[in-house]
Amino acid sequence: MAGNSQRRGATRKAGSKKGARVGTGGHGRKSLEGKGPTPKAEDRTYHKAYKKPVSAEKSATSGRPASGSSRSAAGSRGGRGSSTHEIVSGRNSVVEALRAGIPVSTVYLASRLEADDRTREIISVAGNEGYPLLEVSRAELDRLTDGSVHQGVAIQVPPYAYADDEDLLDVAESLGQAPLIVALDGVTDPRNLGAVLRSAGAFGAHGVLVPERRAAGVTASAWKVSAGAAARVPVARVTNLTRTLQAYKQAGAFVVGLDGGGDVAIADLPYATDPLVLVVGSEGKGLSRLVREQCDAIASIPIASAVESLNAGVAAGIALYEVSRQRA
């Protein structure tokens, strides 16, 4: 296991071609003095967040849909090279989504809709927030929602704008703090992702890292469970989690996995005050072999023998609290 002195304080980008510099002593921060705040992702011409709307505009003018666009009542959205929208349907679901502050592209209401308290609230929120409100036929709503029970109401949620993995380190550096990032390994339930985002926002994490494949993305379900934290805590989606963890380590971060068979108790969590990535595995399989090999330590949370395991959201919350306690 590596000692604390090997990577302490190195917080610059994980993908730097010049490689990691051990013990920078704050040189990375000094180099940024006088340059002002980091521009937003959509203002950087080389960033995918800038390129995506440009590509979408070109597709719209050519009359062809953007690559990967589709409609889904419960599918994932966003990601690298994706422009998938999500449709949330049903009066209760739409009301809950609007109350959670989920961004909305369009509100759809069926023609001659029978009003109740929920529909009046939907119309009121749409008017106050300036959301486009369209009246469509029930046949059109059936098509938009793939035949699901919509009760005459649906909203279209825009694709989530994922951050780059390097952006998470930039957030920490801009605040002058040691990075604290949560990585999810094989967590497929978007509600667990939402719970992790909520804990990340509560305990000062600088971002959440998720794989592109076989993992939950930021859907409406994740957004609702996050209680608005999805708007404050950036989520980065990466092609290969193992390689990203390697790059983070080269940039000076320590990696600690959470697993029931860990070699250290969560109360003695190592590297809490250093640049740290907490890796949470799936509830059933735990950490994958390749990800486990990247961990500098494996921490476990003591639980009663009658309970087989904790879900990802609960485990992340406990670990983040312990990091916050030690950093305080």
Side-chain angles (χ1 to χ4, degrees), residues 88-138:
V88 178
S89 60
R91 298 188 184 189
N92 286 336
S93 296
V94 169
V95 167
E96 290 174 5
L98 293 176
R99 288 175 179 174
I102 294 177
V104 174
S105 296
T106 309
V107 178
Y108 298 98
L109 297 177
S111 303
R112 297 185 295 277
L113 180 66
E114 183 178 347
D116 62 8
D117 290 342
R118 294 168 296 176
T119 57
R120 282 189 283 270
E121 181 176 350
I122 292 168
I123 294 172
S124 175
V125 172
N128 291 337
E129 298 296 332
Y131 297 145
L133 185 62
L134 296 182
E135 184 175 351
V136 298
S137 67
R138 288 189 175 271

Side-chain angles (χ1 to χ4, degrees), residues 137-185:
S137 67
R138 288 189 175 271
E140 176 64 10
L141 268 180
D142 290 340
R143 186 187 67 80
L144 285 169
T145 61
D146 291 331
S148 65
V149 178
H150 51 70
Q151 299 174 303
V153 174
I155 57 174
Q156 185 181 67
V157 180
Y160 179 80
Y162 289 97
D164 284 338
D165 54 326
E166 296 178 348
D167 293 340
L168 307 188
L169 297 180
D170 288 343
V171 170
E173 186 174 27
S174 68
L175 297 172
Q177 300 173 352
L180 174 58
I181 297 168
V182 182
L184 302 184
D185 179 22

